Amino acid sequence: MTFKLRAALTAAAAASALLAGSGAQAKDVVIHAGKLFDGTSKTLRSEVTILVHDDRITGVEAGYVDHPGAEVIDLKSSTVLPGLIDCHVHITSQFDGGDPVREAVTETSFDAAYKSTRYVKATLEAGFTTVRDVGSDTDLVVALKRAINAGTVPGPRMWVAGAPLGPTGGHGDPANGLDPELTHPHWDEVTIDSPEQARRTVRAYRRRGVDLIKIMPSGGVLSIGDDPSLQLMADDEIKAVVETAHALKMKVAAHVHGTTAINHALALGVDSIEHGSFGDAESDKLYKAHGAYLVPTMLIASAVYDIAVTHPEKLPPTSAAKAIAVTPVMQGNLNRSYKAGVKIAFGTDQGLVPHGQNAREFALMVKAGMAPVDTLLAATQNAADLIGDPADIGSVQAGRYADIIAVNGDPTADVTVLEHVAFVMKGGEVYKRDGKPTH
Ligand SMILES: [Zn+2]
């Protein structure tokens, strides 16, 4: 098949890109990749040409092939990979070492909106061309996604959950630990205390434009007072969320630490367990029986632990003690689930660490016992599958978006090379070249 014919076959995709407002001229690019990790195989290929027409990959050919009229991008001395995917970020906030309680009551979502334009840019330039946001102000993160899709703000593709749902007094209840007289128009809309409330809220969230639902079946670490080891959402509430979300073709991500809550959430059909700290052998059976993913979030675990030990006063009251109890078990938990054959998807829980440092997660996953190449699959193929769009993202194959990155060195031997991404293309547009941002 000729390059021209392939290009014609993607005309529909190109037309939709133009309608989406990119306004760009039709463009053909060939990328000469010295090595290619394509997101489908554990083996690196050598000397490969990737054909790009507008925002899509139209072919992958052996050898360095030139196509008349196409711009050539020379990555012969690099390893090329699919754009990375982080399945657990909070893209509209970042821990800056200040007092998080003060910030929560002195800043508005407008402050977060301005700051988040920097966070999405840093994330994209770090090679993360897609993120799944599982906890941000709902209307803010939906608007941010729209702005990125419209080309107003440079950033990764986003799948967004809005503000997480949970019970009164649970991990997602913003009023936890504060003066009970304090109130805010948005605080009550994230608490659900019955199946009826769960159904109505999930439907209302869909109406507001979210892509998935995030729930808080157990308590958490960075909230005041609630206990991570306890199941705080009732089974019928979890069940109502899962059924309503799935009926609307939305996935459900569940923040869970405690064993009982993990096993109940898995049995009730959630699509991923976030953190999953106190999982056990029974959990691994349930993950596999239901095809659910573990998103291990090792980066936040290590970062919170470090702060808890060195500067506990910088965390919300009660969080340091919880971090010291929870985080050390997370490495062993990932190790056990990985060995049991549980599906793992990459997720960092950014931004406790500055946005753009997401790739530090890879080394922590390797430290927990994962093979380097399996951490790469967790951030490409598996993440795309968990998000639910493997036809568009997560691999370098014909038909996928041209979301392509490159690093110097071999990430299947040393994953830390991913902490210094040299080249970033998203949807056929170059955002970083020779290690330098282009926007
Ligand atoms: Zn989180």
Side-chain angles (χ1 to χ4, degrees):
M1 199 188 302
T2 66
F3 186 39
K4 260 191 171 162
L5 183 53
R6 275 205 193 90
L9 287 173
T10 60
S16 70
L18 287 171
L19 281 174
S22 76
Q25 292 286 311
K27 204 170 86 176
D28 291 321
V29 175
V30 299
I31 296 172
H32 291 160
K35 301 269 185 217
L36 173 67
F37 169 81
D38 70 5
T40 69
S41 148
K42 294 193 182 194
T43 314
L44 291 186
R45 294 159 70 178
S46 295
E47 300 193 0
V48 174
T49 298
I50 303 161
L51 315 176
V52 174
H53 180 75
D54 287 339
D55 65 340
R56 296 271 175 176
I57 296 165
T58 52
V60 181
E61 298 180 351
Y64 295 138
V65 185
D66 282 321
H67 287 275
E71 179 195 342
V72 177
I73 295 178
D74 181 353
L75 297 172
K76 287 177 185 159
S77 59
S78 305
T79 303
V80 172
L81 305 96
L84 302 170
I85 303 170
D86 190 333
C87 291
H88 191 129
V89 300
H90 304 276
I91 202 77
T92 64
S93 61
Q94 183 170 294
F95 183 78
D96 60 7
D99 177 348
V101 178
R102 181 181 53 76
E103 251 177 49
V105 293
T106 55
E107 295 196 357
T108 72
S109 51
F110 296 98
D111 295 287
Y114 284 106
K115 290 183 191 176
S116 48
T117 59
R118 279 196 288 119
Y119 305 153
V120 287
K121 188 168 186 283
T123 301
L124 177 60
E125 287 166 359
F128 287 80
T129 54
T130 297
V131 297
R132 192 179 68 146
D133 188 288
V134 290
S136 283
D137 177 284
T138 305
D139 296 328
L140 162 55
V141 80
V142 169
L144 181 60
K145 174 187 160 165
R146 273 199 295 264
I148 291 170
N149 287 349
T152 311
V153 174
R157 299 180 197 287
M158 301 218 300
W159 270 259
V160 304
L165 304 179
T168 296
H171 180 49
D173 183 348
N176 271 5
L178 303 183
D179 176 349
E181 299 288 313
L182 281 176
T183 184
H184 187 283
H186 290 312
W187 284 359
D188 281 341
E189 68 193 24
V190 299
T191 49
I192 48 173
D193 291 299
S194 69
E196 290 72 25
Q197 225 177 350
R199 280 189 203 99
R200 180 171 173 73
T201 307
V202 168
R203 290 170 183 150
Y205 263 47
R206 176 70 261 189
R207 186 173 62 188
R208 285 163 76 175
V210 305
D211 305 295
L212 71 146
I213 299 293
K214 165 84 173 299
I215 54 172
M216 306 294 208
S218 85
V221 172
L222 289 175
S223 45
I224 307 173
D226 51 283
D227 185 340
S229 69
L230 295 182
Q231 178 174 337
L232 301 177
M233 270 180 94
D235 281 358
D236 62 353
E237 293 160 358
I238 299 172
K239 185 165 181 272
V241 168
V242 170
E243 285 178 356
T244 312
H246 284 177
L248 293 166
K249 296 266 181 256
M250 294 193 292
K251 302 232 182 181
V252 177
H255 153 110
V256 208
H257 291 287
T259 317
T260 306
I262 291 170
N263 294 351
H264 283 210
L266 286 168
L268 291 163
V270 303
D271 299 282
S272 63
I273 296 289
E274 314 291 311
H275 321 302
S277 313
F278 296 102
D280 62 6
E282 176 65 16
S283 316
D284 293 337
K285 275 188 209 149
L286 288 162
Y287 277 113
K288 288 174 11 185
H290 292 270
Y293 277 90
L294 169 64
V295 180
T297 67
M298 306 304 291
L299 182 55
I300 193 171
S302 94
V304 173
Y305 188 81
D306 289 348
I307 299 168
V309 171
T310 57
H311 287 288
E313 75 284 358
K314 291 189 173 175
L315 296 173
T318 75
S319 289
K322 291 197 277 184
I324 287 165
V326 170
T327 51
V329 305
M330 291 174 78
Q331 194 164 314
N333 180 67
L334 171 56
N335 183 274
R336 190 205 63 255
S337 288
Y338 171 67
K339 283 186 185 150
V342 172
K343 295 192 287 184
I344 312 286
F346 183 101
T348 55
D349 214 351
Q350 285 284 53
L352 193 86
V353 172
H355 289 286
Q357 297 185 19
N358 311 52
R360 287 171 56 191
E361 179 83 15
F362 287 105
L364 296 167
M365 294 168 93
V366 170
K367 197 174 161 198
M370 288 183 72
V373 75
D374 286 331
T375 70
L376 301 183
L377 288 168
T380 53
Q381 183 180 62
N382 290 7
D385 182 51
L386 171 57
I387 280 177
D389 197 10
D392 285 318
I393 57 171
S395 62
V396 176
Q397 293 187 84
R400 306 303 185 278
Y401 282 124
D403 295 354
I404 294 166
I405 66 163
V407 294
N408 299 315
D410 178 359
T412 64
D414 175 9
V415 291
T416 64
V417 301
L418 294 160
E419 294 170 21
H420 309 282
V421 167
F423 173 86
V424 178
M425 170 185 275
K426 182 193 136 203
E429 191 167 342
V430 176
Y431 287 88
K432 196 177 194 184
R433 203 188 278 266
D434 301 324
K436 292 183 192 69
T438 57
H439 281 61

